[in-house]
Amino acid sequence: TCRQAEFECPDGHALKRDMNSIFCEASGCDREADKDTCCDKKALCETMTSCPAAYKIDPSASNLFCASSVCDVGTAQDVATCCLKLEPCNATTCPTPGFILQPNANELYCDGTRCKTSTPDALDTDTCCIPQATCSSFFRSLPPGKKLKDTRTTRLYCAADTCQASDEGTCVQQLQSCIQPPYRCP
């Protein structure tokens, strides 16, 4: 059989899957004469239709060979040859100020091997990042003695996509009472 003869297929070919039950044309198996009997032409990566999660088809690999006559997403060698490993969102940083990582960033992937999130309009910003809440959007009405910190020169952001009471120190300032010294009327 092709298996017993330890048949070596030429480049671009792989032993047939049922090689243990296929007999060579001649005794001893001849590499040229039995090429079509024992070997199948390897499939090209361009025939691979999908990649596992966290990978995508590598367009530059279309002319590379898979391990056998069929590209298989379950074969580590085919995945390594035909697919690109995507960078997870939790490996990047979002444009600051104004954006933070999605809460489930460890489950999300960028569109390539490197995330592009340097600006609000970058390719992966919408996938990996969410806008931070602004202080002015949350702390609209404050009790007497408190006011929103000055936001005319710089925008103030809460720690997450919604403001919480814990953001008060970032967003709100305590006003000094006129009764407390050293205030003096003119």
Side-chain angles (χ1 to χ4, degrees):
T1 66
C2 296
R3 170 91 174 159
Q4 289 171 328
E6 294 182 16
F7 193 85
E8 286 188 37
C9 295
D11 288 340
H13 292 76
L15 284 170
K16 292 186 177 187
R17 291 180 191 245
D18 54 349
M19 65 184 163
N20 291 326
S21 61
I22 299 175
F23 291 92
C24 297
E25 296 293 318
S27 63
C29 293
D30 178 69
R31 186 173 183 194
E32 267 313 303
D34 292 306
K35 175 180 85 170
D36 293 334
T37 304
C38 296
C39 304
D40 281 329
K41 190 170 182 169
K42 288 183 178 180
L44 291 171
C45 285
E46 69 183 8
T47 64
M48 191 132 164
T49 57
S50 66
C51 291
Y55 290 84
K56 77 173 192 175
I57 300 286
D58 181 354
S60 68
S62 62
N63 292 325
L64 298 179
F65 290 109
C66 291
S68 68
S69 61
V70 177
C71 293
D72 183 2
V73 72
T75 304
Q77 182 180 345
D78 288 350
V79 171
T81 302
C82 302
C83 301
L84 292 171
K85 182 153 181 56
L86 302 176
E87 185 172 51
C89 285
N90 64 348
T92 191
T93 56
C94 294
T96 56
F99 288 87
I100 56 171
L101 282 175
Q102 293 269 12
N104 61 338
N106 61 323
E107 300 169 7
L108 302 173
Y109 294 90
C110 295
D111 192 47
T113 57
R114 286 272 178 235
C115 290
K116 294 180 176 125
T117 57
S118 60
T119 67
D121 297 328
L123 178 65
D124 298 308
T125 300
D126 283 347
T127 301
C128 299
C129 307
I130 54 176
Q132 276 178 285
T134 60
C135 291
S136 59
S137 69
F138 181 72
F139 295 100
R140 292 181 191 207
S141 61
L142 294 167
K146 294 184 178 185
K147 78 170 194 166
L148 193 61
K149 289 184 180 175
D150 187 3
T151 59
R152 287 178 288 179
T153 56
T154 183
R155 210 170 197 182
L156 295 176
Y157 293 93
C158 297
D161 61 328
T162 58
C163 293
Q164 307 294 322
S166 58
D167 292 306
E168 189 171 323
T170 302
C171 300
V172 177
Q173 73 181 48
Q174 183 75 40
L175 298 174
Q176 187 173 355
S177 169
C178 292
I179 299 171
Q180 294 173 341
Y183 186 79
R184 292 190 181 156
C185 293

